[in-house]
Amino acid sequence: MQRTTLLLWRATAAAVLAAAATPLALEFQGQPPAPARSAHARPDDNRFTPVAVIPPGELDEPIAFEVLRDGKVYVIERKGALKVFDPATKTTTIVATIPVNTKYTSAAGVQREAEEGLVGLTLDPNFEKNHWIYMLYADPEVAKHVLARWEVTGDTLAEDSKKVLLEYSVQREACCHTGGGMTWDAKGNLYLTVGNNTGNAQGAQTDERPGRQPWDDQRGAANTNDLRGKILAGGVSAGVGGAHRPD
């Protein structure tokens, strides 16, 4: 009797499980339901309409831009120009031209166009009050990149307000990887991305052969005593120079 009861229980349990599983199988027949849309999901592309703000031909190799609260737009060009677009007049004006290096010269003396130039732009978080603008550029004479701050008002850059905040050496024998992107945190620290300044060998960036230093990341990105190939942070908004790797 005990054996019979056990077999009946097993049979009943199997029937219940089968019955419970049947609706689940039917529910997913055909097209599966669309997943719920997250509140932070990217909006559909058809919700945006591209609008040409600056007419074609008015910019030459634009690198970065910053938009003011009044709608004006500061734009930097690789060859050194800082421009401002005024939406009220729909005109673009050259504010200043920063002297920069734009060339690489190989060990054989062959010169070619570089990624270097005026490569970074950001506005101070308190720009409405202090009018501070920060730009990263390639020094025209010395193989180094310079982060400096100026005061700018409208279409006027105060040249005598320039304050150099950071400099680091680079090689100008082989292309590429300059970096220059900048952003701020809530405490007023400026974050700067610095490229590895290493030639692209389409493989491991480790090359210890003589004369191949520009292709060897051990001398830069992998070297904690070198600022290249890093994300740097500095309290420059308060006028304090220097930089460190953020924790």
Side-chain angles (χ1 to χ4, degrees), residues 48-148:
F48 299 90
T49 302
V51 177
V53 177
I54 301 178
E58 292 193 9
L59 298 177
D60 181 10
E61 293 189 65
I63 296 294
F65 67 91
E66 290 283 346
V67 183
L68 304 184
R69 291 183 180 179
D70 61 5
K72 292 182 179 178
V73 184
Y74 284 110
V75 185
I76 59 168
E77 298 175 346
R78 187 183 66 87
K79 295 175 183 175
L82 168 65
K83 296 182 177 180
V84 62
F85 171 76
D86 188 338
T89 60
K90 299 188 182 304
T91 57
T92 305
T93 305
I94 296 179
V95 177
T97 300
I98 309 300
V100 297
N101 174 69
T102 62
K103 308 290 184 184
Y104 293 130
T105 303
S106 71
V110 178
Q111 192 175 81
R112 64 169 178 152
E113 205 63 27
E115 286 186 355
E116 288 198 333
L118 184 55
V119 296
L121 168 71
T122 190
L123 303 180
D124 193 271
N126 296 314
F127 179 82
E128 301 296 329
K129 296 181 179 179
N130 58 32
H131 306 291
W132 286 351
I133 187 171
Y134 301 79
M135 291 185 281
L136 181 72
Y137 65 92
D139 188 278
E141 304 294 337
V142 182
K144 65 180 180 180
H145 288 176
V146 181
L147 173 64

